[in-house]
Coordinates of all heavy atoms in Angstrom, one line a residue:
M30 N 67.9 -59.3 9.7 CA 67.9 -58.8 8.3 C 68.2 -60.0 7.4 O 69.0 -60.9 7.7 CB 69.1 -57.8 8.2 CG 69.2 -57.3 6.8 SD 70.3 -55.8 6.9 CE 69.3 -54.7 5.9
T31 N 67.5 -60.1 6.3 CA 67.6 -61.2 5.3 C 68.7 -61.0 4.3 O 68.9 -59.9 3.8 CB 66.2 -61.5 4.6 OG1 65.2 -61.5 5.6 CG2 66.3 -62.7 3.8
D32 N 69.4 -62.0 4.0 CA 70.5 -61.9 3.0 C 70.0 -61.6 1.6 O 69.0 -62.1 1.1 CB 71.2 -63.3 2.9 CG 72.4 -63.3 2.1 OD1 73.1 -62.2 1.9 OD2 72.8 -64.3 1.5
R33 N 70.6 -60.6 0.9 CA 70.2 -60.2 -0.4 C 70.2 -61.3 -1.4 O 69.3 -61.5 -2.2 CB 71.2 -59.1 -0.9 CG 71.0 -58.6 -2.4 CD 72.2 -57.8 -2.9 NE 72.2 -57.7 -4.3 CZ 72.8 -58.5 -5.1 NH1 73.5 -59.5 -4.7 NH2 72.8 -58.3 -6.4
A34 N 71.2 -62.2 -1.4 CA 71.4 -63.3 -2.3 C 70.2 -64.2 -2.2 O 69.7 -64.7 -3.2 CB 72.7 -64.0 -2.0
F35 N 69.8 -64.4 -0.9 CA 68.6 -65.4 -0.7 C 67.3 -64.8 -1.3 O 66.6 -65.5 -1.9 CB 68.5 -65.7 0.8 CG 67.3 -66.5 1.1 CD1 67.3 -67.8 0.8 CD2 66.2 -66.0 1.8 CE1 66.2 -68.6 1.0 CE2 65.1 -66.8 2.1 CZ 65.1 -68.1 1.7
L36 N 67.2 -63.5 -1.1 CA 65.9 -62.8 -1.6 C 65.9 -62.8 -3.1 O 64.8 -63.1 -3.7 CB 65.9 -61.4 -1.1 CG 65.6 -61.2 0.4 CD1 65.7 -59.7 0.8 CD2 64.3 -61.8 0.8
I37 N 67.0 -62.6 -3.8 CA 66.9 -62.6 -5.3 C 66.8 -64.0 -5.8 O 66.2 -64.2 -6.9 CB 68.1 -61.8 -5.9 CG1 69.4 -62.4 -5.6 CG2 68.0 -60.4 -5.5 CD1 70.6 -61.7 -6.3
Q38 N 67.3 -65.0 -5.1 CA 67.0 -66.4 -5.5 C 65.6 -66.7 -5.4 O 65.0 -67.5 -6.3 CB 67.8 -67.3 -4.7 CG 69.3 -67.3 -5.0 CD 70.1 -68.2 -4.1 OE1 69.9 -69.4 -4.2 NE2 71.0 -67.6 -3.3
L39 N 64.8 -66.2 -4.4 CA 63.4 -66.4 -4.3 C 62.7 -65.8 -5.5 O 61.6 -66.2 -5.8 CB 62.9 -65.9 -2.9 CG 63.3 -66.7 -1.7 CD1 62.8 -66.0 -0.5 CD2 62.8 -68.1 -1.8
E40 N 63.2 -64.7 -6.1 CA 62.6 -64.1 -7.2 C 62.9 -64.8 -8.5 O 62.5 -64.3 -9.6 CB 63.1 -62.6 -7.3 CG 62.6 -61.8 -6.1 CD 63.2 -60.4 -6.1 OE1 63.8 -60.0 -7.2 OE2 63.1 -59.7 -5.2
G41 N 63.7 -65.9 -8.5 CA 63.9 -66.7 -9.7 C 65.3 -66.6 -10.2 O 65.7 -67.1 -11.3
Y42 N 66.2 -65.8 -9.6 CA 67.5 -65.6 -10.1 C 68.4 -66.8 -9.6 O 68.1 -67.4 -8.6 CB 68.2 -64.3 -9.5 CG 67.7 -63.0 -10.2 CD1 66.4 -62.6 -10.1 CD2 68.6 -62.2 -10.9 CE1 65.9 -61.5 -10.8 CE2 68.2 -61.1 -11.5 CZ 66.9 -60.7 -11.4 OH 66.4 -59.6 -12.1
G43 N 69.4 -67.1 -10.4 CA 70.3 -68.1 -10.1 C 71.8 -67.6 -10.3 O 72.0 -66.6 -10.8
L44 N 72.7 -68.4 -9.8 CA 74.1 -68.0 -9.8 C 74.6 -68.2 -11.3 O 74.5 -69.3 -11.8 CB 75.0 -68.8 -8.8 CG 76.4 -68.4 -8.7 CD1 76.5 -66.9 -8.2 CD2 77.2 -69.3 -7.8
T45 N 75.1 -67.1 -11.8 CA 75.6 -67.1 -13.2 C 77.1 -66.9 -13.2 O 77.6 -65.9 -12.6 CB 74.9 -66.1 -14.0 OG1 73.4 -66.4 -14.0 CG2 75.3 -66.1 -15.5
T46 N 77.8 -67.7 -14.0 CA 79.3 -67.5 -14.2 C 79.5 -67.3 -15.6 O 79.0 -68.1 -16.4 CB 80.1 -68.7 -13.6 OG1 79.7 -68.8 -12.2 CG2 81.5 -68.5 -13.7
A47 N 80.3 -66.3 -15.9 CA 80.7 -66.0 -17.3 C 82.2 -66.0 -17.5 O 82.9 -65.4 -16.7 CB 80.1 -64.7 -17.8
E48 N 82.7 -66.7 -18.5 CA 84.1 -66.7 -18.8 C 84.2 -65.8 -20.0 O 83.7 -66.2 -21.1 CB 84.6 -68.1 -19.1 CG 86.1 -68.2 -19.5 CD 86.4 -69.5 -20.1 OE1 86.0 -69.9 -21.2 OE2 87.1 -70.3 -19.3
I49 N 84.9 -64.7 -19.9 CA 85.0 -63.7 -20.9 C 86.4 -63.7 -21.5 O 87.4 -63.4 -20.7 CB 84.6 -62.3 -20.4 CG1 83.2 -62.3 -19.9 CG2 84.8 -61.3 -21.5 CD1 82.9 -61.1 -19.0
C50 N 86.6 -64.1 -22.7 CA 87.9 -64.1 -23.4 C 88.0 -62.8 -24.2 O 87.1 -62.5 -24.9 CB 88.0 -65.3 -24.3 SG 88.0 -66.9 -23.5
Y51 N 89.1 -62.1 -24.0 CA 89.3 -60.8 -24.6 C 90.7 -60.6 -24.9 O 91.6 -61.3 -24.5 CB 88.7 -59.7 -23.7 CG 89.6 -59.5 -22.4 CD1 90.6 -58.6 -22.4 CD2 89.4 -60.3 -21.3 CE1 91.4 -58.4 -21.3 CE2 90.1 -60.1 -20.2 CZ 91.1 -59.2 -20.2 OH 91.9 -59.0 -19.0
F52 N 91.0 -59.6 -25.8 CA 92.3 -59.1 -26.0 C 92.4 -57.6 -26.1 O 91.4 -56.9 -26.3 CB 92.9 -59.8 -27.3 CG 92.1 -59.4 -28.5 CD1 92.5 -58.3 -29.3 CD2 91.1 -60.2 -29.0 CE1 91.8 -57.9 -30.4 CE2 90.4 -59.9 -30.2 CZ 90.7 -58.7 -30.9
M53 N 93.5 -57.0 -25.8 CA 93.7 -55.6 -25.8 C 94.1 -55.3 -27.3 O 94.8 -56.1 -27.9 CB 94.9 -55.3 -24.9 CG 94.6 -55.6 -23.4 SD 93.1 -54.9 -22.8 CE 93.6 -53.2 -22.6
P54 N 93.7 -54.2 -27.7 CA 93.9 -53.7 -29.2 C 95.5 -53.7 -29.5 O 95.8 -54.0 -30.6 CB 93.3 -52.4 -29.3 CG 92.3 -52.3 -28.2 CD 92.8 -53.2 -27.1
D55 N 96.3 -53.3 -28.5 CA 97.7 -53.2 -28.8 C 98.4 -54.5 -28.6 O 99.6 -54.6 -29.0 CB 98.4 -52.1 -27.8 CG 98.0 -52.4 -26.4 OD1 97.0 -53.1 -26.1 OD2 98.7 -51.8 -25.5
H56 N 97.7 -55.6 -28.2 CA 98.3 -56.9 -28.1 C 97.3 -58.0 -28.6 O 96.8 -58.8 -27.8 CB 98.7 -57.3 -26.7 CG 99.8 -56.4 -26.1 ND1 101.1 -56.4 -26.5 CD2 99.7 -55.3 -25.2 CE1 101.7 -55.5 -25.9 NE2 101.0 -54.9 -25.1
P57 N 96.9 -57.9 -29.9 CA 95.9 -58.8 -30.3 C 96.2 -60.3 -30.3 O 95.3 -61.1 -30.4 CB 95.6 -58.4 -31.8 CG 96.9 -57.7 -32.2 CD 97.5 -57.1 -30.9
S58 N 97.4 -60.7 -30.2 CA 97.8 -62.1 -30.2 C 97.8 -62.7 -28.8 O 98.0 -63.8 -28.6 CB 99.1 -62.3 -30.8 OG 100.1 -61.6 -30.1
L59 N 97.6 -61.9 -27.8 CA 97.5 -62.3 -26.3 C 96.1 -62.3 -25.9 O 95.5 -61.3 -25.5 CB 98.3 -61.3 -25.5 CG 98.4 -61.6 -24.0 CD1 99.1 -63.0 -23.8 CD2 99.1 -60.5 -23.3
L60 N 95.5 -63.5 -25.8 CA 94.2 -63.8 -25.4 C 94.1 -63.9 -23.9 O 94.9 -64.6 -23.2 CB 93.6 -65.0 -26.0 CG 92.1 -65.2 -25.9 CD1 91.3 -64.1 -26.6 CD2 91.7 -66.5 -26.5
Q61 N 93.2 -63.1 -23.2 CA 93.2 -63.1 -21.8 C 91.7 -63.5 -21.3 O 90.8 -63.5 -22.1 CB 93.4 -61.7 -21.2 CG 94.8 -61.3 -21.6 CD 95.2 -59.9 -21.0 OE1 95.1 -59.8 -19.8 NE2 95.4 -59.0 -21.8
V62 N 91.6 -64.0 -20.1 CA 90.3 -64.5 -19.6 C 89.9 -63.8 -18.3 O 90.8 -63.5 -17.5 CB 90.4 -66.0 -19.3 CG1 89.1 -66.6 -18.7 CG2 90.8 -66.8 -20.6
Y63 N 88.7 -63.4 -18.3 CA 88.1 -62.7 -17.1 C 86.9 -63.5 -16.6 O 86.1 -63.9 -17.4 CB 87.7 -61.3 -17.5 CG 87.1 -60.6 -16.3 CD1 87.9 -60.0 -15.3 CD2 85.7 -60.4 -16.2 CE1 87.3 -59.2 -14.3 CE2 85.1 -59.7 -15.2 CZ 85.9 -59.1 -14.2 OH 85.4 -58.4 -13.1
A64 N 86.9 -63.9 -15.3 CA 85.8 -64.6 -14.8 C 84.8 -63.7 -14.0 O 85.3 -62.9 -13.2 CB 86.3 -65.7 -13.9
W65 N 83.6 -63.7 -14.4 CA 82.5 -62.8 -13.8 C 81.4 -63.7 -13.2 O 81.1 -64.7 -13.7 CB 81.9 -62.0 -14.9 CG 80.8 -61.1 -14.5 CD1 80.9 -59.8 -14.1 CD2 79.4 -61.4 -14.6 NE1 79.6 -59.3 -13.8 CE2 78.7 -60.3 -14.2 CE3 78.7 -62.6 -14.9 CZ2 77.3 -60.3 -14.0 CZ3 77.3 -62.6 -14.8 CH2 76.6 -61.5 -14.4
Q66 N 81.0 -63.3 -12.0 CA 80.0 -64.1 -11.3 C 79.0 -63.2 -10.6 O 79.4 -62.3 -9.9 CB 80.6 -65.1 -10.3 CG 79.7 -66.2 -9.9 CD 80.4 -67.2 -9.1 OE1 81.1 -66.9 -8.1 NE2 80.4 -68.4 -9.5
E67 N 77.7 -63.5 -10.8 CA 76.7 -62.7 -10.1 C 75.4 -63.5 -10.2 O 75.3 -64.4 -11.0 CB 76.5 -61.3 -10.9 CG 75.5 -60.3 -10.3 CD 75.9 -59.9 -8.9 OE1 76.9 -59.3 -8.7 OE2 75.2 -60.3 -8.0
Y68 N 74.3 -63.1 -9.5 CA 73.0 -63.7 -9.6 C 72.3 -63.0 -10.8 O 72.3 -61.8 -10.9 CB 72.2 -63.5 -8.3 CG 72.7 -64.3 -7.2 CD1 73.6 -63.8 -6.2 CD2 72.4 -65.7 -7.1 CE1 74.1 -64.6 -5.3 CE2 72.9 -66.4 -6.1 CZ 73.8 -65.9 -5.2 OH 74.3 -66.7 -4.2
D69 N 71.7 -63.9 -11.6 CA 71.1 -63.3 -12.8 C 69.9 -64.3 -13.2 O 69.8 -65.4 -12.7 CB 72.1 -63.3 -14.0 CG 71.8 -62.3 -15.1 OD1 70.7 -61.7 -15.0 OD2 72.6 -62.0 -15.9
A70 N 69.1 -63.8 -14.1 CA 67.9 -64.5 -14.5 C 68.1 -65.1 -15.9 O 68.2 -64.4 -16.9 CB 66.6 -63.7 -14.5
A71 N 68.1 -66.5 -16.0 CA 68.2 -67.2 -17.3 C 66.8 -67.2 -17.9 O 65.8 -67.3 -17.2 CB 68.7 -68.6 -17.1
P72 N 66.6 -67.2 -19.2 CA 67.6 -67.2 -20.2 C 68.0 -65.9 -20.8 O 68.8 -65.8 -21.7 CB 67.0 -68.0 -21.3 CG 65.5 -67.7 -21.2 CD 65.3 -67.4 -19.8
D73 N 67.4 -64.8 -20.2 CA 67.7 -63.5 -20.8 C 69.0 -62.8 -20.3 O 69.6 -62.0 -20.9 CB 66.5 -62.5 -20.5 CG 65.3 -63.0 -21.2 OD1 65.3 -63.6 -22.3 OD2 64.2 -62.8 -20.6
F74 N 69.4 -63.2 -19.1 CA 70.6 -62.7 -18.4 C 70.8 -61.1 -18.5 O 71.8 -60.6 -19.0 CB 71.9 -63.3 -19.1 CG 71.9 -64.8 -18.9 CD1 71.7 -65.6 -20.0 CD2 72.1 -65.4 -17.7 CE1 71.7 -67.0 -19.9 CE2 72.1 -66.8 -17.6 CZ 71.9 -67.6 -18.7
P75 N 69.8 -60.4 -17.9 CA 69.9 -58.9 -18.0 C 71.1 -58.4 -17.2 O 71.7 -57.4 -17.7 CB 68.6 -58.5 -17.4 CG 68.1 -59.6 -16.5 CD 68.6 -60.9 -17.2
V76 N 71.5 -58.9 -16.1 CA 72.6 -58.4 -15.3 C 73.9 -58.6 -16.2 O 74.8 -57.7 -16.2 CB 72.7 -59.1 -14.0 CG1 73.9 -58.6 -13.2 CG2 71.4 -58.9 -13.2
L77 N 74.1 -59.8 -16.7 CA 75.3 -60.1 -17.5 C 75.4 -59.2 -18.7 O 76.4 -58.6 -19.0 CB 75.3 -61.5 -18.0 CG 76.4 -61.9 -19.0 CD1 77.8 -61.6 -18.4 CD2 76.3 -63.3 -19.4
F78 N 74.2 -58.9 -19.5 CA 74.3 -58.1 -20.6 C 74.5 -56.6 -20.3 O 75.1 -55.9 -21.0 CB 73.0 -58.3 -21.5 CG 73.1 -59.7 -22.2 CD1 72.1 -60.7 -22.0 CD2 74.1 -59.9 -23.1 CE1 72.2 -61.9 -22.6 CE2 74.1 -61.1 -23.8 CZ 73.2 -62.1 -23.6
D79 N 74.0 -56.2 -19.1 CA 74.3 -54.9 -18.7 C 75.9 -54.8 -18.4 O 76.5 -53.7 -18.8 CB 73.6 -54.5 -17.4 CG 72.2 -54.2 -17.6 OD1 71.7 -54.0 -18.8 OD2 71.4 -54.2 -16.6
F80 N 76.5 -55.8 -17.8 CA 77.9 -55.7 -17.6 C 78.6 -55.7 -18.9 O 79.6 -54.9 -19.0 CB 78.4 -56.9 -16.7 CG 79.8 -57.0 -16.6 CD1 80.5 -56.2 -15.8 CD2 80.5 -58.0 -17.3 CE1 81.9 -56.2 -15.6 CE2 81.9 -58.0 -17.2 CZ 82.6 -57.2 -16.3
L81 N 78.3 -56.5 -19.9 CA 78.9 -56.6 -21.1 C 78.8 -55.2 -21.9 O 79.7 -54.8 -22.6 CB 78.4 -57.7 -22.0 CG 78.8 -59.1 -21.5 CD1 78.1 -60.2 -22.3 CD2 80.3 -59.3 -21.4
A82 N 77.6 -54.6 -21.8 CA 77.5 -53.3 -22.4 C 78.4 -52.3 -21.8 O 79.0 -51.4 -22.5 CB 76.0 -52.8 -22.3
H83 N 78.5 -52.3 -20.4 CA 79.5 -51.4 -19.7 C 80.9 -51.7 -20.2 O 81.7 -50.8 -20.4 CB 79.3 -51.7 -18.2 CG 80.4 -51.1 -17.4 ND1 80.5 -49.7 -17.2 CD2 81.6 -51.6 -16.9 CE1 81.6 -49.5 -16.5 NE2 82.3 -50.6 -16.3
W84 N 81.2 -53.0 -20.4 CA 82.6 -53.4 -20.8 C 82.8 -52.7 -22.2 O 83.9 -52.1 -22.3 CB 82.7 -54.9 -20.9 CG 83.9 -55.4 -21.4 CD1 84.5 -55.2 -22.7 CD2 84.8 -56.3 -20.7 NE1 85.7 -55.9 -22.7 CE2 85.9 -56.6 -21.5 CE3 84.8 -56.9 -19.5 CZ2 87.0 -57.4 -21.2 CZ3 85.9 -57.7 -19.1 CH2 87.0 -57.9 -19.9
R85 N 81.9 -52.9 -23.1 CA 82.1 -52.4 -24.5 C 82.2 -50.9 -24.5 O 82.9 -50.3 -25.3 CB 81.0 -52.8 -25.3 CG 81.1 -54.3 -25.7 CD 80.0 -54.8 -26.7 NE 80.1 -56.2 -26.9 CZ 79.3 -57.1 -26.4 NH1 78.2 -56.7 -25.7 NH2 79.4 -58.4 -26.7
R86 N 81.5 -50.2 -23.6 CA 81.6 -48.7 -23.5 C 82.8 -48.2 -22.9 O 83.4 -47.2 -23.3 CB 80.4 -48.2 -22.7 CG 79.1 -47.9 -23.5 CD 78.1 -47.1 -22.6 NE 78.1 -47.4 -21.2 CZ 77.4 -48.4 -20.6 NH1 76.6 -49.2 -21.3 NH2 77.5 -48.6 -19.3
E87 N 83.2 -48.8 -21.8 CA 84.3 -48.2 -20.9 C 85.6 -48.9 -20.9 O 86.6 -48.3 -20.4 CB 83.8 -48.3 -19.4 CG 82.4 -47.6 -19.2 CD 82.5 -46.1 -19.4 OE1 83.5 -45.5 -19.2 OE2 81.5 -45.6 -19.8
I88 N 85.8 -50.1 -21.4 CA 87.0 -50.8 -21.3 C 87.6 -51.0 -22.8 O 86.9 -51.4 -23.6 CB 86.8 -52.2 -20.7 CG1 86.3 -52.0 -19.3 CG2 88.1 -53.0 -20.7 CD1 86.0 -53.3 -18.5
E89 N 88.9 -50.7 -22.9 CA 89.5 -50.7 -24.2 C 90.0 -52.1 -24.4 O 91.3 -52.4 -24.5 CB 90.7 -49.7 -24.3 CG 90.2 -48.3 -24.3 CD 91.3 -47.3 -24.5 OE1 92.3 -47.7 -25.1 OE2 91.2 -46.2 -24.0
A90 N 89.1 -53.1 -24.5 CA 89.5 -54.5 -24.7 C 88.4 -55.1 -25.6 O 87.2 -54.8 -25.3 CB 89.6 -55.3 -23.4
E91 N 88.7 -55.9 -26.6 CA 87.7 -56.5 -27.5 C 87.4 -57.9 -27.0 O 88.3 -58.7 -26.8 CB 88.3 -56.5 -28.9 CG 87.2 -56.9 -29.8 CD 87.7 -56.8 -31.3 OE1 88.5 -55.9 -31.6 OE2 87.2 -57.6 -32.1
I92 N 86.1 -58.1 -26.8 CA 85.7 -59.4 -26.4 C 85.7 -60.4 -27.5 O 85.1 -60.1 -28.6 CB 84.2 -59.3 -25.8 CG1 84.2 -58.4 -24.5 CG2 83.7 -60.7 -25.5 CD1 82.9 -58.2 -24.0
R93 N 86.3 -61.5 -27.3 CA 86.4 -62.5 -28.3 C 85.3 -63.6 -28.2 O 84.7 -64.0 -29.1 CB 87.7 -63.2 -28.2 CG 88.0 -64.4 -29.0 CD 88.3 -63.9 -30.5 NE 88.8 -65.1 -31.2 CZ 89.0 -65.0 -32.5 NH1 89.0 -63.8 -33.1 NH2 89.4 -66.0 -33.1
S94 N 85.0 -64.0 -26.9 CA 84.0 -65.0 -26.7 C 83.5 -64.9 -25.2 O 84.2 -64.4 -24.4 CB 84.4 -66.4 -26.9 OG 85.4 -66.8 -26.0
V95 N 82.3 -65.3 -25.0 CA 81.7 -65.4 -23.6 C 81.0 -66.8 -23.5 O 80.2 -67.2 -24.3 CB 80.6 -64.2 -23.4 CG1 80.0 -64.3 -22.0 CG2 81.2 -62.9 -23.7
R96 N 81.4 -67.5 -22.4 CA 80.8 -68.7 -22.1 C 80.0 -68.6 -20.8 O 80.5 -68.0 -19.8 CB 81.8 -69.9 -21.9 CG 82.4 -70.3 -23.3 CD 83.2 -71.6 -23.2 NE 83.9 -71.8 -21.9 CZ 84.5 -72.9 -21.6 NH1 84.4 -74.0 -22.4 NH2 85.2 -73.0 -20.5
I97 N 78.8 -69.1 -20.7 CA 77.9 -68.9 -19.6 C 77.5 -70.2 -19.0 O 77.2 -71.1 -19.6 CB 76.6 -68.1 -20.0 CG1 77.0 -66.8 -20.7 CG2 75.7 -67.9 -18.9 CD1 75.8 -66.1 -21.4
A98 N 77.6 -70.2 -17.6 CA 77.1 -71.3 -16.8 C 76.1 -70.7 -15.9 O 76.3 -69.6 -15.3 CB 78.2 -72.0 -16.1
H99 N 75.0 -71.4 -15.7 CA 73.9 -70.9 -14.8 C 73.3 -72.0 -14.0 O 73.1 -73.1 -14.4 CB 72.8 -70.3 -15.7 CG 71.7 -69.7 -14.8 ND1 71.7 -68.5 -14.2 CD2 70.4 -70.2 -14.6 CE1 70.6 -68.3 -13.6 NE2 69.8 -69.4 -13.8
E100 N 73.1 -71.8 -12.7 CA 72.6 -72.8 -11.8 C 71.5 -72.1 -10.9 O 71.8 -71.2 -10.1 CB 73.6 -73.4 -10.9 CG 73.2 -74.4 -10.0 CD 72.6 -75.7 -10.6 OE1 73.0 -76.0 -11.7 OE2 71.7 -76.3 -10.0
K101 N 70.3 -72.6 -11.0 CA 69.3 -72.2 -10.1 C 69.5 -72.9 -8.8 O 69.4 -74.1 -8.7 CB 67.9 -72.4 -10.6 CG 67.1 -71.3 -11.0 CD 65.7 -71.6 -11.3 CE 65.1 -70.2 -11.5 NZ 63.8 -70.3 -12.0
M102 N 69.8 -72.2 -7.7 CA 70.1 -72.8 -6.5 C 68.9 -73.2 -5.6 O 69.0 -74.1 -4.8 CB 71.1 -71.9 -5.7 CG 72.4 -71.7 -6.6 SD 73.5 -70.5 -5.9 CE 74.4 -71.6 -4.7
I103 N 67.8 -72.5 -5.7 CA 66.7 -72.8 -5.0 C 65.7 -73.4 -6.0 O 65.3 -72.7 -7.0 CB 66.0 -71.5 -4.3 CG1 67.0 -71.0 -3.2 CG2 64.7 -71.8 -3.8 CD1 66.4 -69.8 -2.6
R104 N 65.3 -74.6 -5.8 CA 64.4 -75.3 -6.7 C 63.7 -76.4 -5.9 O 64.1 -76.7 -4.7 CB 65.2 -75.9 -7.9 CG 66.3 -76.8 -7.5 CD 67.0 -77.4 -8.7 NE 68.1 -78.1 -8.3 CZ 69.4 -77.7 -8.4 NH1 69.6 -76.5 -8.7 NH2 70.4 -78.5 -8.0
P105 N 62.7 -77.0 -6.5 CA 62.0 -78.0 -5.7 C 62.9 -79.2 -5.4 O 63.9 -79.5 -6.1 CB 60.9 -78.6 -6.7 CG 60.7 -77.4 -7.7 CD 62.0 -76.7 -7.7
A106 N 62.7 -79.8 -4.2 CA 63.6 -80.9 -3.8 C 63.4 -82.1 -4.7 O 62.3 -82.3 -5.2 CB 63.3 -81.2 -2.3
S107 N 64.4 -82.9 -4.8 CA 64.3 -84.1 -5.6 C 64.5 -85.3 -4.6 O 65.1 -85.2 -3.6 CB 65.3 -84.2 -6.7 OG 66.6 -84.2 -6.2
W108 N 63.8 -86.4 -5.0 CA 63.8 -87.6 -4.1 C 64.1 -88.8 -5.0 O 63.6 -88.9 -6.1 CB 62.5 -87.8 -3.4 CG 62.4 -88.9 -2.5 CD1 62.8 -89.0 -1.2 CD2 62.1 -90.3 -2.8 NE1 62.7 -90.2 -0.6 CE2 62.3 -91.0 -1.6 CE3 61.6 -90.9 -4.0 CZ2 61.9 -92.4 -1.6 CZ3 61.4 -92.2 -3.9 CH2 61.5 -93.0 -2.8
R109 N 65.0 -89.6 -4.5 CA 65.3 -90.9 -5.2 C 65.5 -92.0 -4.2 O 66.1 -91.7 -3.1 CB 66.4 -90.8 -6.2 CG 67.7 -90.4 -5.5 CD 68.8 -90.2 -6.6 NE 70.0 -89.8 -5.8 CZ 71.2 -90.1 -6.2 NH1 71.4 -90.6 -7.4 NH2 72.2 -89.8 -5.4
S110 N 65.1 -93.2 -4.5 CA 65.3 -94.2 -3.5 C 66.7 -94.8 -3.6 O 67.4 -94.7 -4.6 CB 64.3 -95.4 -3.8 OG 64.6 -96.0 -5.0
A111 N 67.1 -95.3 -2.5 CA 68.4 -95.9 -2.5 C 68.3 -97.4 -2.2 O 67.5 -97.9 -1.4 CB 69.3 -95.3 -1.3
D112 N 69.0 -98.2 -2.9 CA 69.1 -99.7 -2.8 C 70.1 -100.0 -1.8 O 71.3 -99.8 -2.1 CB 69.3 -100.4 -4.1 CG 68.1 -100.2 -5.0 OD1 67.0 -100.0 -4.6 OD2 68.4 -100.2 -6.3
G113 N 69.7 -100.5 -0.6 CA 70.7 -100.9 0.3 C 70.1 -100.6 1.8 O 69.2 -100.0 2.0
V114 N 70.8 -101.3 2.7 CA 70.4 -101.1 4.1 C 71.6 -100.8 4.9 O 72.7 -101.4 4.7 CB 69.8 -102.5 4.6 CG1 69.5 -102.4 6.1 CG2 68.6 -102.9 3.8
I115 N 71.5 -99.9 5.8 CA 72.6 -99.5 6.7 C 72.1 -100.0 8.1 O 71.1 -99.7 8.6 CB 72.8 -98.0 6.7 CG1 73.2 -97.5 5.4 CG2 73.8 -97.6 7.8 CD1 73.2 -96.0 5.3
S116 N 73.0 -100.8 8.7 CA 72.7 -101.3 10.0 C 73.9 -101.1 11.0 O 75.0 -101.1 10.5 CB 72.4 -102.8 10.0 OG 73.5 -103.5 9.5
W117 N 73.5 -100.8 12.2 CA 74.5 -100.6 13.3 C 74.4 -101.7 14.2 O 73.3 -102.1 14.6 CB 74.3 -99.3 14.0 CG 74.7 -98.1 13.3 CD1 75.9 -97.5 13.3 CD2 73.9 -97.3 12.4 NE1 75.9 -96.4 12.4 CE2 74.7 -96.3 11.9 CE3 72.6 -97.4 11.9 CZ2 74.3 -95.4 10.9 CZ3 72.2 -96.5 11.0 CH2 73.0 -95.5 10.5
E118 N 75.5 -102.2 14.8 CA 75.4 -103.2 15.7 C 75.9 -102.8 17.0 O 76.5 -101.9 17.3 CB 76.3 -104.4 15.3 CG 75.8 -105.0 14.0 CD 76.6 -106.3 13.6 OE1 77.2 -106.9 14.4 OE2 76.6 -106.5 12.4

């Protein structure tokens, strides 16, 4: 059986991390942070935006900001030369 994460990466998804800063309406001066991570497709981020829509509908907390980091983990290999020689005696 093939790993789900590997299959969706082959479809172009990459690992997305979102830092969601929010506050509760009864404590507006207390800013809290929630870290969310899932495989998603940049630059549209449909999975993240579905989660944020769910948050706005179901959670009584107001989102202040969202920072997004995204990394495509499967990509063409890169090659670079190294200056130096390694020798064993």
Side-chain angles (χ1 to χ4, degrees):
M30 182 166 225
T31 307
D32 184 28
R33 172 192 166 270
F35 178 69
L36 291 175
I37 62 175
Q38 287 178 64
L39 290 176
E40 294 175 10
Y42 282 65
L44 189 61
T45 302
T46 304
E48 176 190 78
I49 303 167
C50 295
Y51 68 96
F52 61 89
M53 301 301 287
D55 51 344
H56 298 288
S58 62
L59 180 61
L60 191 62
Q61 300 183 60
V62 177
Y63 179 80
W65 175 91
Q66 193 170 57
E67 184 62 68
Y68 289 98
D69 207 350
D73 297 329
F74 300 108
V76 179
L77 173 59
F78 286 118
D79 284 348
F80 173 76
L81 293 174
H83 167 78
W84 179 298
R85 289 184 181 106
R86 273 191 325 273
E87 305 295 330
I88 299 174
E89 293 183 26
E91 188 171 330
I92 295 174
R93 176 78 172 178
S94 66
V95 178
R96 289 193 323 168
I97 302 169
H99 178 79
E100 179 67 28
K101 248 188 170 169
M102 300 174 82
I103 295 180
R104 59 180 172 259
S107 60
W108 181 88
R109 61 185 181 154
S110 66
D112 292 330
V114 175
I115 298 174
S116 61
W117 284 270
E118 294 183 29

